[in-house]
Amino acid sequence: MAVDYTVIVVYLAGMLAMGWWGMRRAKSKSDFLVAGRRLGPAMYSGTMAAIVLGGASTIGGVGLGYQYGLSGAWMVFTIGLGLLALSVFFSARIARLKVYTVSEMLDLRYGGRAGVISGLVMWAYTLMLAVTSTIAYATIFDVLFDMNRTVAIILGGTIVVVYSTLGGMWSITLTDMVQFVVKTIGVLLLLLPVAVVRAGGFSEMKAKLPTTYFDPLGIGGETIFTYVLIYTFGMLIGQDIWQRVFTAGSDKTAKWGGTVAGTYCLAYALAGAVIGSATKVLYPNLGSPDDAFATIVKHELPVGVRGLVLAAALAAVMSTSSGALIACATVANNDIWSRLRGAVRGDEGAHDEVKGNRAFILIMGVGVIGTAIAIDNVVEALTVAYNLLVGGLLVPILGGLLWKRGTVHGALASVVVGGLAVIGLMASYGILANEPVYYGLLASLAAYVVVSLATKPTDEAVLATWRERLAARGATHTEEPAAVGV
């Protein structure tokens, strides 16, 4: 394993070096939080694919393939569909807004007062996303070094916190591009063909596996529908995803670069399901489907290649973790702390803004590591995060983009009613039940429509500012407008 260890150590050292390099480029708030809004198509596509394809998509995707066959691709497939929908229908408009957070978009659209409440919901989501990504380090380091869970979380988490704190989005962008390349080589170009060949090819897989493993809907229609609600719609509104859209250098980059990334996700989904199915042929009696990825990597890949593929798993986890961390810190600083202390955005110097956001990444990073050590059930934590996100924020965000008659009172009612409904239903039905997100989303929609129609329409001056911002086509890295009011 010495060669494999060397590959991993070199990879981790490279991540820290990228963080130091990114620090030299982060000279302003725009640089630090959204990479100066100047990414080109290639880097934008790679980094967007990197952030959405995390440990759950890699380790979990292979595990679902092991358990259900080709239909196990649906979880990651719905992530790709969400990214495609965001890119084709909304990303160019979102990029033109030149904001930093989803809550700032809500303030701009509705005329203020929606920010703190929506910020709290988004902060809870990004925090749990960062926590669950950080927990995944324990699985990978256990396979690599037989390392204690707590030590593994601290080690992996510290590396992400350090390079994210140093250079913000520039560091994360540079590391994510490397991680995208490593994942592509490790999973698609190495592990996928090796797994199929070792399993005897597709004909042998078909002979040894149940016919349900080749049924596209074998995982079940209700499960697929739930994946669409949680992951496809989650891609449309998550701060971690929007913050990447804000990095695009132009409308065209946001739209077509994201489309390429979404298409890549679809291929990645199918690859994970095929790898999992091949692992089922080779190792039919694993204790847990989530062990499938580590098992086939450990026993079927040659020295050196094994290290690269494990580095690919680390890359998947780190890209999601760093993206969720900077999103969590951005929301905590811009949408919660600054508003609560009554600060007016834009009147601090660029140096102070960078310093303040860097401090928040460090603080949130320490909190994420501590929470990851304390939490045992990753699936439940992630389910809570996505249920709150979709149940509380999907309707007011999409409503603001699509329905002129939506009002700030309707948006606030939607967030509160949807969020409380999800929490109450999770307590009643159970955290992993499907009903909380179903009924919570319906309650949120009803509250939004009823309250919006019952209250005074949004001021025309607010809507005029909104339309003016949306109409600002072209490059997104030009001089930014003043931030919206609280």
Side-chain angles (χ1 to χ4, degrees):
M1 291 289 287
V3 175
D4 296 324
Y5 291 159
T6 301
V7 172
I8 298 296
V9 170
V10 169
Y11 168 76
L12 294 176
M15 295 300 98
L16 293 175
M18 289 289 182
W20 182 262
W21 186 23
M23 182 178 68
R24 300 175 61 185
R25 303 196 65 168
K27 303 299 184 182
S28 68
K29 179 180 179 180
S30 177
D31 288 335
F32 193 83
L33 295 182
V34 291
R37 305 188 195 272
R38 58 170 67 95
L39 296 191
M43 185 166 282
Y44 178 85
S45 297
T47 56
M48 180 62 87
I51 188 176
V52 300
L53 296 174
S57 299
T58 303
I59 299 171
V62 171
L64 287 171
Y66 182 89
Q67 187 173 4
Y68 298 105
L70 297 185
S71 67
W74 272 106
M75 183 187 76
V76 184
F77 201 82
T78 55
I79 290 174
L81 291 178
L83 185 53
L84 283 171
L86 174 71
S87 301
V88 172
F89 298 112
F90 300 109
S91 61
R93 301 173 69 193
I94 292 170
R96 291 177 207 147
L97 295 175
K98 297 181 184 176
V99 294
Y100 292 101
T101 67
V102 174
S103 295
E104 286 184 5
M105 167 266 171
L106 292 174
D107 275 354
L108 181 64
R109 165 60 180 83
Y110 295 111
R113 294 181 290 174
V116 173
I117 294 177
S118 61
L120 286 171
V121 175
M122 188 63 76
W123 176 78
Y125 157 73
T126 54
L127 177 69
M128 284 297 101
L129 184 61
V131 166
T132 54
S133 300
T134 303
I135 292 173
Y137 298 135
T139 301
I140 299 170
F141 281 115
D142 178 55
V143 174
L144 285 172
F145 308 116
D146 193 24
M147 187 177 291
N148 174 270
R149 176 182 183 276
T150 299
V151 175
I153 289 172
I154 293 174
L155 175 60
T158 299
I159 291 172
V160 170
V161 171
V162 168
Y163 75 68
S164 300
T165 301
L166 285 175
M169 187 60 81
W170 266 122
S171 292
I172 293 171
T173 296
L174 294 169
T175 55
D176 276 2
M177 196 61 199
V178 174
Q179 289 159 356
F180 169 74
V181 172
V182 171
K183 279 191 288 190
T184 300
I185 295 173
V187 175
L188 298 184
L189 301 184
L190 294 176
L191 182 58
L192 175 61
V194 168
V196 173
V197 169
R198 293 296 174 89
F202 287 106
S203 58
E204 188 71 12
M205 291 168 61
K206 196 166 185 179
K208 290 186 175 181
L209 292 172
T211 55
T212 55
Y213 268 62
F214 300 92
D215 180 359
L217 304 179
I219 198 170
E222 184 178 355
T223 298
I224 295 170
F225 181 66
T226 302
Y227 284 159
V228 170
L229 277 184
I230 293 177
Y231 297 114
T232 300
F233 287 128
M235 288 297 105
L236 296 179
I237 59 176
Q239 169 67 26
D240 51 324
I241 308 303
W242 277 41
Q243 200 156 343
R244 293 310 173 95
V245 174
F246 300 152
T247 66
S250 68
D251 296 352
K252 184 178 291 186
T253 294
K255 182 175 182 178
W256 296 112
T259 301
V260 170
T263 304
Y264 177 90
C265 291
L266 303 183
Y268 201 88
L270 184 59
V274 171
I275 293 168
S277 300
T279 307
K280 183 68 174 180
V281 173
L282 295 167
Y283 304 94
N285 300 311
L286 293 179
S288 168
D290 287 338
D291 294 335
F293 181 87
T295 300
I296 193 168
V297 170
K298 190 172 185 178
H299 297 291
E300 299 298 331
L301 294 181
V303 173
V305 173
R306 180 171 51 205
L308 182 59
V309 174
L310 287 172
L314 270 178
V317 174
M318 284 186 166
S319 57
T320 300
S321 181
S322 59
L325 176 59
I326 193 171
C328 178
T330 302
V331 171
N333 188 17
N334 288 275
D335 295 334
I336 300 174
W337 172 247
S338 292
R339 295 166 188 260
L340 291 178
R341 72 178 182 177
V344 177
R345 291 188 189 85
D347 54 7
E348 293 184 20
H351 175 74
D352 292 333
E353 289 177 334
V354 170
K355 186 177 180 181
N357 282 292
R358 185 173 282 137
F360 264 87
I361 290 181
L362 180 59
I363 294 168
M364 291 297 109
V366 172
V368 164
I369 292 172
T371 306
I373 292 171
I375 289 181
D376 290 325
N377 196 313
V378 178
V379 175
E380 288 190 357
L382 194 59
T383 301
V384 170
Y386 271 100
N387 282 352
L388 283 173
L389 177 71
V390 174
L393 291 180
L394 177 67
V395 170
I397 292 172
L398 293 188
L401 289 168
L402 300 173
W403 190 38
K404 178 182 176 181
R405 187 60 180 82
T407 68
V408 65
H409 301 291
L412 288 171
S414 179
V415 173
V416 173
V417 170
L420 292 178
V422 164
I423 293 171
L425 290 166
M426 283 192 294
S428 175
Y429 285 97
I431 290 176
L432 298 180
N434 293 327
E435 287 83 0
V437 71
Y438 294 167
Y439 301 138
L441 193 55
L442 289 174
S444 178
L445 177 60
Y448 181 71
V449 173
V450 171
V451 175
S452 290
L453 292 176
T455 53
K456 183 180 178 181
T458 304
D459 188 272
E460 186 57 38
V462 172
L463 291 177
T465 301
W466 169 259
R467 288 192 294 266
E468 179 183 353
R469 196 78 70 89
L470 287 178
R473 296 179 179 272
T476 62
H477 59 266
T478 53
E479 184 178 353
E480 297 182 18
V484 294
V486 177

